[in-house]
Amino acid sequence: MPELPEVETVRQALDKEFQKPAVIEKIQLLRKDLRVPFPNGLAAKLRGERLLAVRRRAKYLLLDTENHTLISHLGMTGSWRWVQSNEKMKHDHCYVELQDGRLLAYHDPRRFGFFDLVSRGQELKSSWIKHLGFEPLFPECTAPALHKKAKGRQVPIKNFIMDQKVIVGVGNIYASEALFLSGIRPLKKTLKLKLTDWEKLLSAIRKVLSESIENKGTTLRDYVQPDGNSGQFQQKLFVYDRGGHLCRRCHTKIRSKRLAGRSTYWCDGCQK
DNA sequence: ATGCGGACCTGTTAGC
DNA sequence: TGCTAACAGGTCCGCA
């Protein structure tokens, strides 16, 4: 489900709710694992702690309490939502009950999501976070830096920009969309991109991610914001999931192909 | 080191 | 209607 814009939307929504004192009364785990076991002592360690803020690194949510950071990855179908006690659903795997009665549910049918728990501010020690690449929306992510990392790489450019060790947050939808906006075909070999191509591609990545955040993300199936509403960016997609339809820009038929096991879409008219 | 395919899960949809 | 296969937003691992 969730690429950077969806995770950022969830971050903003939860962070806002945690401005009002949010002290954990109880954490209820409904099974012993998701993709990996729940962290040891998760419920006991967080009981009585106040949720202070939510940060994001790549597609990971970082929920800060006074003494811990709960790391939450949503996998393909994970979501956090505010619920009433009578709104519990199949595939809810964790409930966080606050002292003032608010109830937060983690829901994840495919269970590709997972949690990790570290001491406050120690998230870089987590093996999940350590090796991640550039945050695309941060200034230290530059076209020359990406051009340098791309040296000698034979993989299709789409695979390269989805590699979280290179640049984070770009998943299967936004990779196709960013390549469309920058006029580069997904199958082009990474090493063939010139610095000017990287300038176009990086600015396209920033544009598509930012606009999707403004639209609260893309909902194709499961993704919802914590208030239960869908995102809106699916209405603005140029190529993703539009195989066989006509390009919104040049009316060429959108092509599709499986690349590294993932559906990939592009326009031969707009992309070279 | 790099690139690929499979594994992890459940639900939905398309095709026969 | 019912069965089967393919596919869905991500990431890690092991093999060539």
Coordinates of all heavy atoms in Angstrom, one line a residue, chain A residues 179-262:
Chain A
L179 N 8.9 8.6 -13.6 CA 9.6 8.4 -14.8 C 8.7 9.0 -16.0 O 9.3 9.6 -16.9 CB 9.8 7.0 -15.1 CG 11.0 6.4 -14.2 CD1 11.0 4.9 -14.1 CD2 12.3 7.0 -14.7
F180 N 7.4 8.9 -15.9 CA 6.6 9.6 -16.9 C 6.8 11.1 -16.9 O 7.1 11.7 -18.0 CB 5.1 9.3 -16.6 CG 4.2 10.1 -17.5 CD1 3.9 9.6 -18.8 CD2 3.6 11.3 -17.2 CE1 3.1 10.3 -19.7 CE2 2.8 12.0 -18.0 CZ 2.6 11.6 -19.3
L181 N 6.8 11.7 -15.7 CA 6.9 13.2 -15.6 C 8.3 13.6 -16.1 O 8.4 14.7 -16.7 CB 6.8 13.6 -14.2 CG 5.4 13.5 -13.6 CD1 5.4 14.1 -12.2 CD2 4.3 14.3 -14.4
S182 N 9.3 12.7 -16.0 CA 10.6 13.2 -16.4 C 11.0 12.7 -17.9 O 12.0 13.1 -18.4 CB 11.7 12.6 -15.5 OG 11.6 11.2 -15.3
G183 N 10.0 12.0 -18.5 CA 10.2 11.7 -19.9 C 11.2 10.6 -20.1 O 11.8 10.4 -21.2
I184 N 11.5 9.7 -19.1 CA 12.5 8.7 -19.2 C 11.7 7.3 -19.1 O 10.9 7.1 -18.3 CB 13.5 8.8 -18.0 CG1 14.2 10.1 -18.1 CG2 14.5 7.6 -18.1 CD1 15.0 10.4 -16.8
R185 N 12.1 6.4 -20.0 CA 11.4 5.1 -20.0 C 12.0 4.2 -18.9 O 13.2 4.2 -18.6 CB 11.7 4.3 -21.3 CG 10.9 5.0 -22.5 CD 11.0 4.2 -23.7 NE 10.4 5.0 -24.8 CZ 10.4 4.6 -26.1 NH1 10.9 3.5 -26.5 NH2 9.8 5.4 -27.0
P186 N 11.1 3.5 -18.2 CA 11.5 2.7 -17.0 C 12.6 1.7 -17.3 O 13.3 1.3 -16.4 CB 10.2 1.9 -16.7 CG 9.1 2.5 -17.4 CD 9.6 3.3 -18.5
L187 N 12.6 1.2 -18.6 CA 13.6 0.1 -18.9 C 15.0 0.6 -19.2 O 15.9 -0.1 -19.4 CB 13.1 -0.7 -20.0 CG 12.0 -1.7 -19.6 CD1 10.9 -1.8 -20.7 CD2 12.6 -3.0 -19.3
K188 N 15.1 2.0 -19.3 CA 16.4 2.5 -19.6 C 17.5 2.1 -18.6 O 17.2 2.2 -17.4 CB 16.3 4.1 -19.7 CG 17.6 4.8 -20.2 CD 17.2 6.2 -20.6 CE 18.5 6.9 -21.0 NZ 18.2 8.1 -21.8
K189 N 18.7 1.7 -19.0 CA 19.7 1.3 -18.1 C 20.1 2.5 -17.3 O 20.4 3.6 -17.8 CB 20.9 0.8 -18.8 CG 20.6 -0.5 -19.6 CD 21.1 -1.7 -18.9 CE 21.2 -2.9 -19.8 NZ 20.3 -4.0 -19.4
T190 N 20.3 2.3 -16.0 CA 20.6 3.4 -15.0 C 21.9 4.1 -15.5 O 21.9 5.4 -15.4 CB 20.8 2.8 -13.6 OG1 19.6 2.2 -13.2 CG2 21.2 3.8 -12.6
L191 N 22.9 3.4 -15.9 CA 24.2 4.1 -16.2 C 24.1 5.0 -17.4 O 25.0 5.8 -17.6 CB 25.3 3.0 -16.4 CG 25.1 1.9 -17.5 CD1 25.5 2.4 -18.8 CD2 26.0 0.7 -17.1
K192 N 23.0 4.9 -18.2 CA 22.9 5.8 -19.3 C 22.3 7.2 -19.0 O 22.3 8.0 -19.9 CB 22.0 5.1 -20.4 CG 22.6 3.8 -20.9 CD 22.0 3.5 -22.3 CE 22.8 2.4 -23.0 NZ 22.0 1.7 -24.0
L193 N 21.9 7.4 -17.8 CA 21.3 8.7 -17.4 C 22.4 9.7 -17.2 O 23.4 9.4 -16.5 CB 20.5 8.6 -16.1 CG 19.0 8.3 -16.4 CD1 18.8 6.9 -16.8 CD2 18.2 8.7 -15.1
K194 N 22.3 10.8 -17.9 CA 23.3 11.9 -17.8 C 22.9 12.8 -16.6 O 21.8 12.7 -16.1 CB 23.3 12.8 -19.0 CG 23.6 12.0 -20.3 CD 23.9 13.0 -21.4 CE 24.2 12.2 -22.7 NZ 23.0 12.1 -23.6
L195 N 23.7 13.7 -16.2 CA 23.4 14.5 -15.1 C 22.1 15.3 -15.3 O 21.3 15.5 -14.4 CB 24.6 15.5 -14.8 CG 24.4 16.4 -13.6 CD1 24.1 15.7 -12.3 CD2 25.7 17.3 -13.4
T196 N 22.0 15.8 -16.5 CA 20.7 16.5 -16.8 C 19.5 15.6 -16.7 O 18.4 16.1 -16.3 CB 20.7 17.1 -18.3 OG1 21.0 16.0 -19.2 CG2 21.8 18.2 -18.4
D197 N 19.6 14.3 -17.0 CA 18.5 13.4 -16.8 C 18.2 13.3 -15.3 O 17.0 13.3 -14.9 CB 18.8 12.0 -17.4 CG 19.1 12.0 -18.9 OD1 18.3 12.7 -19.6 OD2 20.0 11.3 -19.3
W198 N 19.2 13.2 -14.5 CA 19.0 13.1 -13.1 C 18.4 14.3 -12.5 O 17.6 14.2 -11.6 CB 20.4 12.8 -12.4 CG 20.6 11.3 -12.4 CD1 21.6 10.6 -13.1 CD2 19.9 10.3 -11.6 NE1 21.5 9.3 -12.8 CE2 20.5 9.1 -11.9 CE3 18.8 10.4 -10.8 CZ2 20.0 7.9 -11.4 CZ3 18.3 9.2 -10.2 CH2 18.9 8.0 -10.5
E199 N 18.7 15.5 -13.1 CA 18.1 16.7 -12.6 C 16.6 16.7 -12.9 O 15.7 17.0 -12.0 CB 18.7 18.0 -13.2 CG 20.0 18.3 -12.5 CD 20.9 19.2 -13.4 OE1 20.6 19.6 -14.5 OE2 22.0 19.5 -12.8
K200 N 16.2 16.2 -14.1 CA 14.8 16.1 -14.4 C 14.1 15.0 -13.5 O 13.0 15.2 -13.1 CB 14.6 15.6 -15.9 CG 14.8 16.8 -16.9 CD 14.6 16.2 -18.3 CE 15.4 17.0 -19.3 NZ 15.7 16.2 -20.5
L201 N 14.8 13.9 -13.4 CA 14.2 12.8 -12.6 C 14.0 13.1 -11.1 O 12.9 12.9 -10.6 CB 15.0 11.5 -12.8 CG 14.5 10.3 -12.1 CD1 13.0 10.0 -12.4 CD2 15.4 9.0 -12.5
L202 N 15.0 13.7 -10.5 CA 14.8 14.1 -9.1 C 13.7 15.1 -9.0 O 12.9 15.0 -8.0 CB 16.2 14.6 -8.6 CG 16.1 15.1 -7.1 CD1 15.6 14.0 -6.2 CD2 17.5 15.6 -6.7
S203 N 13.7 16.1 -9.9 CA 12.6 17.1 -9.7 C 11.2 16.5 -9.9 O 10.2 16.8 -9.3 CB 12.8 18.4 -10.5 OG 12.5 18.1 -11.8
A204 N 11.1 15.5 -10.8 CA 9.9 14.8 -11.0 C 9.5 13.9 -9.8 O 8.3 13.9 -9.4 CB 10.0 13.9 -12.2
I205 N 10.5 13.3 -9.2 CA 10.2 12.5 -8.0 C 9.7 13.4 -6.9 O 8.7 13.2 -6.2 CB 11.5 11.8 -7.5 CG1 11.8 10.6 -8.4 CG2 11.3 11.3 -6.0 CD1 13.2 10.0 -8.2
R206 N 10.3 14.6 -6.7 CA 9.9 15.5 -5.7 C 8.5 16.1 -6.0 O 7.7 16.2 -5.1 CB 10.9 16.7 -5.6 CG 12.1 16.3 -4.9 CD 13.1 17.4 -4.8 NE 14.2 17.1 -3.9 CZ 15.4 17.5 -3.9 NH1 15.8 18.4 -4.9 NH2 16.3 17.1 -3.0
K207 N 8.2 16.3 -7.2 CA 6.9 16.9 -7.6 C 5.8 15.8 -7.3 O 4.8 16.2 -6.7 CB 6.9 17.3 -9.1 CG 5.7 17.9 -9.6 CD 5.9 18.3 -11.1 CE 4.6 18.4 -11.9 NZ 3.9 19.6 -11.6
V208 N 6.0 14.6 -7.8 CA 4.9 13.6 -7.6 C 4.7 13.3 -6.2 O 3.6 13.1 -5.7 CB 5.2 12.4 -8.5 CG1 6.3 11.5 -8.0 CG2 3.9 11.6 -8.7
L209 N 5.8 13.2 -5.4 CA 5.6 12.9 -4.0 C 4.9 14.0 -3.2 O 4.0 13.8 -2.5 CB 7.0 12.6 -3.3 CG 7.7 11.3 -3.8 CD1 9.1 11.2 -3.1 CD2 6.9 10.0 -3.7
S210 N 5.3 15.2 -3.5 CA 4.7 16.4 -2.8 C 3.3 16.6 -3.2 O 2.4 16.8 -2.3 CB 5.5 17.7 -3.2 OG 6.8 17.6 -3.1
E211 N 3.0 16.4 -4.5 CA 1.6 16.6 -4.9 C 0.7 15.5 -4.3 O -0.5 15.7 -3.9 CB 1.4 16.6 -6.4 CG 2.0 17.9 -7.0 CD 1.8 18.1 -8.5 OE1 1.2 17.2 -9.1 OE2 2.3 19.1 -9.0
S212 N 1.3 14.3 -4.2 CA 0.5 13.2 -3.6 C 0.3 13.5 -2.1 O -0.8 13.2 -1.6 CB 1.2 11.8 -3.8 OG 0.4 10.8 -3.2
I213 N 1.3 14.0 -1.4 CA 1.1 14.3 0.0 C 0.0 15.3 0.1 O -0.9 15.2 1.0 CB 2.4 14.9 0.6 CG1 3.4 13.7 0.7 CG2 2.1 15.4 2.0 CD1 4.8 14.2 1.1
E214 N 0.0 16.4 -0.7 CA -1.1 17.4 -0.7 C -2.5 16.8 -0.9 O -3.5 17.2 -0.4 CB -0.9 18.4 -1.8 CG 0.3 19.4 -1.4 CD 0.7 20.2 -2.6 OE1 -0.1 20.4 -3.6 OE2 1.9 20.7 -2.6
N215 N -2.5 15.6 -1.7 CA -3.8 14.9 -1.9 C -4.0 13.8 -1.0 O -4.9 12.9 -1.3 CB -3.8 14.4 -3.4 CG -4.1 15.6 -4.4 OD1 -5.2 15.9 -4.6 ND2 -3.0 16.2 -4.9
K216 N -3.2 13.7 0.1 CA -3.4 12.7 1.1 C -3.2 11.3 0.6 O -3.8 10.3 1.1 CB -4.8 12.8 1.8 CG -5.2 14.2 2.2 CD -4.4 14.6 3.4 CE -4.8 16.0 3.9 NZ -3.9 16.5 4.9
G217 N -2.3 11.1 -0.4 CA -1.9 9.8 -0.9 C -2.8 9.2 -1.9 O -3.8 9.8 -2.4
T218 N -2.5 8.0 -2.4 CA -3.2 7.3 -3.4 C -3.9 6.0 -2.8 O -3.2 5.2 -2.2 CB -2.2 6.7 -4.5 OG1 -1.5 7.9 -5.0 CG2 -2.9 5.9 -5.6
T219 N -5.2 5.9 -3.0 CA -5.9 4.8 -2.5 C -6.3 3.9 -3.7 O -7.1 4.4 -4.5 CB -7.2 5.1 -1.7 OG1 -6.8 5.9 -0.6 CG2 -7.9 3.9 -1.3
L220 N -5.7 2.7 -3.9 CA -6.1 1.8 -4.9 C -7.0 0.7 -4.3 O -8.0 0.3 -4.9 CB -4.9 1.2 -5.6 CG -4.0 2.1 -6.3 CD1 -2.8 1.4 -6.9 CD2 -4.8 2.8 -7.4
R221 N -6.7 0.3 -3.1 CA -7.4 -0.7 -2.4 C -7.6 -0.4 -0.9 O -8.5 0.2 -0.5 CB -6.7 -2.1 -2.5 CG -6.6 -2.6 -3.9 CD -6.0 -4.0 -3.9 NE -6.3 -4.6 -5.2 CZ -5.7 -4.2 -6.3 NH1 -4.7 -3.3 -6.3 NH2 -6.0 -4.8 -7.5
D222 N -6.6 -0.9 -0.1 CA -6.7 -0.8 1.3 C -6.4 0.5 2.0 O -6.9 0.7 3.1 CB -5.7 -1.9 1.9 CG -5.9 -3.2 1.3 OD1 -5.3 -3.5 0.2 OD2 -6.6 -4.1 1.8
Y223 N -5.5 1.3 1.4 CA -5.0 2.4 2.1 C -6.1 3.4 2.6 O -6.9 3.8 1.8 CB -4.0 3.2 1.3 CG -3.6 4.6 1.8 CD1 -2.9 4.7 3.0 CD2 -4.1 5.7 1.2 CE1 -2.6 5.9 3.5 CE2 -3.8 7.0 1.7 CZ -3.1 7.1 2.9 OH -2.9 8.3 3.4
V224 N -6.1 3.7 3.9 CA -6.9 4.8 4.4 C -6.1 5.6 5.3 O -5.1 5.2 5.9 CB -8.1 4.3 5.2 CG1 -9.2 3.7 4.2 CG2 -7.8 3.3 6.2
Q225 N -6.5 6.9 5.5 CA -5.9 7.8 6.5 C -6.4 7.3 7.9 O -7.4 6.7 7.9 CB -6.3 9.2 6.2 CG -6.0 9.7 4.8 CD -6.6 11.1 4.5 OE1 -6.3 12.0 5.3 NE2 -7.3 11.2 3.5
P226 N -5.8 7.8 8.9 CA -6.3 7.4 10.3 C -7.7 7.9 10.5 O -8.4 7.3 11.4 CB -5.3 8.1 11.2 CG -4.0 8.2 10.4 CD -4.4 8.4 9.0
D227 N -8.2 8.8 9.8 CA -9.6 9.2 10.0 C -10.6 8.3 9.2 O -11.8 8.5 9.1 CB -9.9 10.7 9.7 CG -9.6 11.0 8.2 OD1 -9.4 10.1 7.4 OD2 -9.6 12.2 7.9
G228 N -10.0 7.4 8.4 CA -10.8 6.4 7.7 C -11.1 6.8 6.2 O -11.6 6.1 5.5
N229 N -10.7 8.1 5.9 CA -10.9 8.5 4.5 C -9.9 8.0 3.6 O -8.7 7.8 4.0 CB -10.9 10.1 4.5 CG -12.2 10.6 5.1 OD1 -13.3 10.1 5.0 ND2 -12.0 11.7 5.9
S230 N -10.2 7.9 2.3 CA -9.3 7.5 1.3 C -8.4 8.7 0.9 O -8.7 9.9 1.2 CB -10.0 7.1 0.0 OG -10.8 5.9 0.3
G231 N -7.3 8.4 0.2 CA -6.5 9.4 -0.4 C -7.2 9.9 -1.7 O -8.2 9.3 -2.1
Q232 N -6.6 10.9 -2.4 CA -7.2 11.4 -3.6 C -6.3 11.4 -4.8 O -6.7 11.7 -5.9 CB -7.7 12.8 -3.4 CG -8.8 12.9 -2.3 CD -10.1 12.1 -2.7 OE1 -10.5 12.1 -3.9 NE2 -10.6 11.4 -1.8
F233 N -5.1 11.0 -4.6 CA -4.1 11.2 -5.7 C -4.3 10.2 -6.9 O -3.9 10.4 -8.0 CB -2.7 11.1 -5.2 CG -1.6 11.6 -6.2 CD1 -1.5 13.0 -6.4 CD2 -0.8 10.8 -6.8 CE1 -0.6 13.5 -7.3 CE2 0.2 11.2 -7.8 CZ 0.2 12.6 -8.0
Q234 N -5.0 9.1 -6.6 CA -5.3 8.1 -7.7 C -6.0 8.8 -8.9 O -5.8 8.4 -10.0 CB -6.1 6.9 -7.2 CG -7.5 7.3 -6.6 CD -7.5 7.7 -5.2 OE1 -6.4 8.0 -4.7 NE2 -8.6 7.7 -4.6
Q235 N -6.7 9.9 -8.7 CA -7.3 10.6 -9.8 C -6.3 11.3 -10.6 O -6.7 11.8 -11.7 CB -8.3 11.6 -9.2 CG -9.5 11.0 -8.4 CD -10.2 12.0 -7.5 OE1 -10.2 13.2 -7.8 NE2 -10.9 11.5 -6.5
K236 N -5.1 11.5 -10.1 CA -4.1 12.3 -10.9 C -3.0 11.5 -11.5 O -2.1 12.0 -12.0 CB -3.5 13.3 -9.9 CG -4.6 14.1 -9.1 CD -4.3 15.5 -8.8 CE -5.5 16.2 -8.3 NZ -5.3 17.5 -7.8
L237 N -3.2 10.1 -11.4 CA -2.1 9.3 -12.0 C -2.1 9.4 -13.5 O -3.2 9.4 -14.1 CB -2.3 7.8 -11.5 CG -2.3 7.6 -10.0 CD1 -2.6 6.1 -9.7 CD2 -0.9 7.9 -9.5
F238 N -0.9 9.5 -14.1 CA -0.8 9.5 -15.6 C -0.7 8.2 -16.2 O -1.2 7.9 -17.3 CB 0.4 10.4 -16.0 CG 0.2 11.9 -15.9 CD1 0.6 12.6 -14.8 CD2 -0.5 12.5 -16.9 CE1 0.4 14.0 -14.7 CE2 -0.7 13.9 -16.8 CZ -0.3 14.6 -15.7
V239 N 0.1 7.3 -15.6 CA 0.3 6.0 -16.2 C 0.0 4.8 -15.3 O -0.5 3.7 -15.9 CB 1.8 5.8 -16.7 CG1 2.0 6.7 -17.9 CG2 2.8 6.1 -15.6
Y240 N 0.2 4.8 -14.0 CA 0.0 3.7 -13.2 C -1.4 3.1 -13.3 O -2.4 3.8 -13.2 CB 0.3 3.9 -11.7 CG 0.3 2.7 -10.9 CD1 1.5 1.9 -10.8 CD2 -0.8 2.2 -10.3 CE1 1.4 0.7 -10.2 CE2 -0.8 1.0 -9.6 CZ 0.3 0.3 -9.5 OH 0.3 -0.9 -8.8
D241 N -1.4 1.8 -13.6 CA -2.7 1.1 -13.7 C -3.6 1.5 -14.9 O -4.8 1.3 -14.9 CB -3.5 1.2 -12.4 CG -4.4 0.0 -12.1 OD1 -4.2 -1.0 -12.7 OD2 -5.4 0.2 -11.3
R242 N -2.9 2.2 -15.9 CA -3.7 2.7 -17.0 C -3.2 2.0 -18.3 O -3.4 2.5 -19.4 CB -3.5 4.2 -17.2 CG -4.0 5.0 -16.0 CD -4.2 6.5 -16.3 NE -5.2 6.7 -17.3 CZ -5.0 7.2 -18.5 NH1 -3.8 7.5 -18.9 NH2 -6.0 7.3 -19.3
G243 N -2.7 0.7 -18.2 CA -2.3 0.0 -19.4 C -3.4 -0.1 -20.4 O -4.5 -0.4 -20.0
G244 N -3.1 0.1 -21.7 CA -4.1 0.0 -22.7 C -4.9 1.3 -22.9 O -5.5 1.5 -23.9
H245 N -5.0 2.1 -21.9 CA -5.7 3.4 -22.0 C -4.8 4.4 -22.8 O -3.6 4.2 -23.0 CB -6.1 4.0 -20.6 CG -7.1 3.2 -19.9 ND1 -6.8 2.1 -19.2 CD2 -8.5 3.4 -19.8 CE1 -7.9 1.6 -18.7 NE2 -9.0 2.4 -19.1
L246 N -5.4 5.5 -23.2 CA -4.6 6.5 -23.9 C -4.0 7.5 -23.0 O -4.5 7.9 -22.0 CB -5.5 7.3 -24.9 CG -6.2 6.4 -25.9 CD1 -7.0 7.3 -26.9 CD2 -5.2 5.5 -26.6
C247 N -2.7 7.9 -23.3 CA -2.0 8.8 -22.5 C -2.7 10.2 -22.4 O -3.2 10.7 -23.4 CB -0.6 9.1 -23.2 SG 0.4 10.4 -22.4
R248 N -2.8 10.7 -21.2 CA -3.5 12.0 -21.0 C -2.8 13.1 -21.7 O -3.4 14.2 -21.9 CB -3.6 12.3 -19.5 CG -4.3 11.3 -18.7 CD -4.6 11.8 -17.3 NE -4.8 10.8 -16.3 CZ -5.9 10.2 -16.0 NH1 -6.9 10.4 -16.7 NH2 -5.9 9.3 -15.1
R249 N -1.5 13.0 -22.0 CA -0.8 14.1 -22.7 C -0.8 14.0 -24.2 O -1.1 14.9 -24.9 CB 0.7 14.1 -22.2 CG 0.9 14.5 -20.8 CD 1.9 15.6 -20.7 NE 1.9 16.2 -19.4 CZ 2.9 16.1 -18.6 NH1 4.0 15.4 -18.9 NH2 2.8 16.7 -17.4
C250 N -0.5 12.7 -24.7 CA -0.3 12.6 -26.2 C -1.2 11.6 -26.9 O -1.1 11.4 -28.1 CB 1.2 12.3 -26.5 SG 1.6 10.6 -26.1
H251 N -2.0 11.0 -26.1 CA -3.0 10.0 -26.6 C -2.4 8.7 -27.2 O -3.1 8.0 -27.9 CB -4.0 10.7 -27.6 CG -4.6 11.9 -27.0 ND1 -5.5 11.9 -26.0 CD2 -4.4 13.2 -27.3 CE1 -5.8 13.1 -25.6 NE2 -5.2 14.0 -26.4
T252 N -1.1 8.5 -27.0 CA -0.5 7.2 -27.3 C -1.0 6.2 -26.3 O -1.3 6.5 -25.1 CB 1.0 7.3 -27.2 OG1 1.5 8.3 -28.1 CG2 1.7 5.9 -27.6
K253 N -1.2 4.9 -26.7 CA -1.6 3.8 -25.8 C -0.5 3.6 -24.7 O 0.6 3.3 -25.1 CB -1.9 2.6 -26.6 CG -2.9 1.7 -25.9 CD -3.2 0.4 -26.8 CE -4.5 0.5 -27.5 NZ -4.8 -0.8 -28.2
I254 N -1.0 3.6 -23.5 CA 0.0 3.3 -22.4 C 0.4 1.9 -22.4 O -0.4 1.0 -22.5 CB -0.7 3.6 -21.0 CG1 -1.1 5.1 -20.9 CG2 0.2 3.2 -19.8 CD1 0.0 6.1 -20.9
R255 N 1.7 1.6 -22.3 CA 2.2 0.3 -22.3 C 2.5 -0.2 -20.9 O 2.6 0.6 -19.9 CB 3.5 0.2 -23.1 CG 3.3 0.6 -24.5 CD 4.6 0.3 -25.3 NE 5.0 -1.1 -25.2 CZ 6.1 -1.5 -25.7 NH1 7.0 -0.7 -26.3 NH2 6.4 -2.8 -25.6
S256 N 2.5 -1.6 -20.7 CA 2.8 -2.1 -19.4 C 3.6 -3.4 -19.6 O 3.5 -4.1 -20.6 CB 1.5 -2.4 -18.6 OG 0.8 -3.4 -19.2
K257 N 4.4 -3.7 -18.6 CA 5.2 -4.9 -18.6 C 5.6 -5.2 -17.1 O 5.7 -4.3 -16.3 CB 6.5 -4.5 -19.4 CG 7.6 -5.6 -19.4 CD 8.8 -5.0 -20.2 CE 10.0 -5.9 -20.1 NZ 9.9 -7.1 -20.8
R258 N 5.8 -6.5 -16.8 CA 6.3 -6.8 -15.5 C 7.8 -6.6 -15.5 O 8.6 -7.2 -16.3 CB 5.9 -8.2 -15.1 CG 4.5 -8.3 -14.7 CD 4.1 -9.6 -14.2 NE 4.4 -9.7 -12.8 CZ 3.7 -9.1 -11.8 NH1 2.7 -8.3 -12.1 NH2 4.0 -9.3 -10.5
L259 N 8.3 -5.9 -14.5 CA 9.7 -5.6 -14.4 C 10.1 -6.0 -12.9 O 9.5 -5.4 -12.0 CB 9.9 -4.1 -14.7 CG 11.3 -3.6 -14.9 CD1 12.1 -4.4 -16.0 CD2 11.3 -2.2 -15.4
A260 N 11.1 -6.9 -12.8 CA 11.5 -7.3 -11.4 C 10.2 -7.7 -10.6 O 10.1 -7.4 -9.5 CB 12.3 -6.2 -10.7
G261 N 9.3 -8.4 -11.3 CA 8.1 -8.9 -10.6 C 7.0 -7.8 -10.3 O 6.0 -8.1 -9.7
R262 N 7.3 -6.6 -10.8 CA 6.3 -5.5 -10.5 C 5.7 -4.9 -11.8 O 6.4 -4.7 -12.7 CB 6.9 -4.4 -9.7 CG 7.8 -4.8 -8.6 CD 7.2 -5.6 -7.5 NE 6.1 -4.8 -6.8 CZ 6.3 -4.0 -5.8 NH1 7.5 -3.8 -5.3 NH2 5.3 -3.4 -5.3

